[in-house]
Structures are given as C-alpha cells and as structure tokens.
Amino acid sequence: MANHDTEHQQDDEPLDPVMENVRRKMVRLQIVSSGIIIVSLMAVLFAVVYKVKNRPEAEKVAAPVGFAVPADQPLSARAALPQGFEIQSVSSSGSQILFWGSLKGERKVLIFDLSVGRIVADVTVTN
C-alpha cells in the first residue's frame, strides 16, 4: 500500500517546462490526428451511401439495349421463314434465335432477332 501512495504523489508533481511543452505538442498532435481520421471516415461513409443510393437497377433480361420483355404478358413475335425451309435445330442467345436447316438442298442458317422483330442474317453453308 505504501507503494501506491508514492506513485500517486509522483503523478501530482508538476512537470518541468520542457516536458510540459512536449506533452502539449503530443496532445495537439493527437487531437489533429483524431480529427483527420473522423473526417476521413465520414467521407468514406458518405461515398458508400452515395454509391448505394445511385446504383443502376439490375437488368431483368440479359439482352442488347432496346430489348425488353413486357412485365404483364409474354413477348409475341412471328419469324417469317422462307417457304420450304426445313428446320433441323434451333438455338437461342439473348434476344436472337438461330434456325439451322435446309432450303432446296442448300444448308442454311437463319438468325431471327426479337429486339427488331425480323430475320437479321441469312447464311448459306457450303463445304
């Protein structure tokens, strides 16, 4: 217990002027550093909130710009394939549908685009 009293007395003794100046500079440095950290943290939080509020909405369908599926009903379209075209297989990607087949003995690929509502490519396949 006697040790505790001597420590308490040492804390109460005033510091010499040089050490007091050092202590004041350290307190000032701590206040400035804390202020900078608080301002930086507020800037980061503001940036996060700004990004979250101004985030673009996710696209509902992975398709080219200008193509949207109506929310209340299915999309309706008509692909006018050439007369006599025999379909062998069909494939789709995004807003495009590929028809693989033959027309009068020639192998053909027809690509129908839903966003424009017509056949956009007529490819004849040869050896």
Side-chain angles (χ1 to χ4, degrees), residues 76-117:
S76 177
R78 181 178 300 244
L81 300 175
Q83 188 73 21
F85 184 77
E86 296 178 18
I87 298 173
Q88 294 172 353
S89 70
V90 178
S91 176
S92 69
S93 174
S95 68
Q96 295 183 338
I97 302 171
L98 180 137
F99 296 95
W100 174 265
S102 61
L103 178 65
K104 298 178 187 170
E106 290 185 316
R107 293 183 298 178
K108 288 189 150 296
V109 174
L110 300 175
I111 300 175
F112 181 79
D113 194 334
L114 291 169
S115 62
V116 294

Side-chain angles (χ1 to χ4, degrees), residues 60-63 66-76 94-95 114:
K60 294 176 181 149
V61 176
F67 177 72
V69 176
D72 58 341
Q73 61 187 358
L75 183 65
S76 177
S95 68
L114 291 169

Side-chain angles (χ1 to χ4, degrees), residues 14-61:
L15 298 173
D16 62 343
V18 174
M19 289 304 290
E20 183 65 25
N21 285 341
V22 170
R23 187 189 70 78
R24 286 183 182 166
K25 285 182 182 179
M26 293 298 289
V27 168
R28 233 180 291 140
L29 178 64
Q30 185 178 8
I31 290 171
V32 169
S33 298
S34 299
I36 290 172
I37 289 173
I38 289 171
V39 168
S40 300
L41 182 63
M42 288 174 61
V44 168
L45 289 175
F46 175 77
V48 167
V49 169
Y50 178 79
K51 283 286 192 181
V52 168
K53 286 193 176 238
N54 294 327
R55 163 179 55 178
E57 292 184 22
E59 290 185 26
K60 294 176 181 149
V61 176

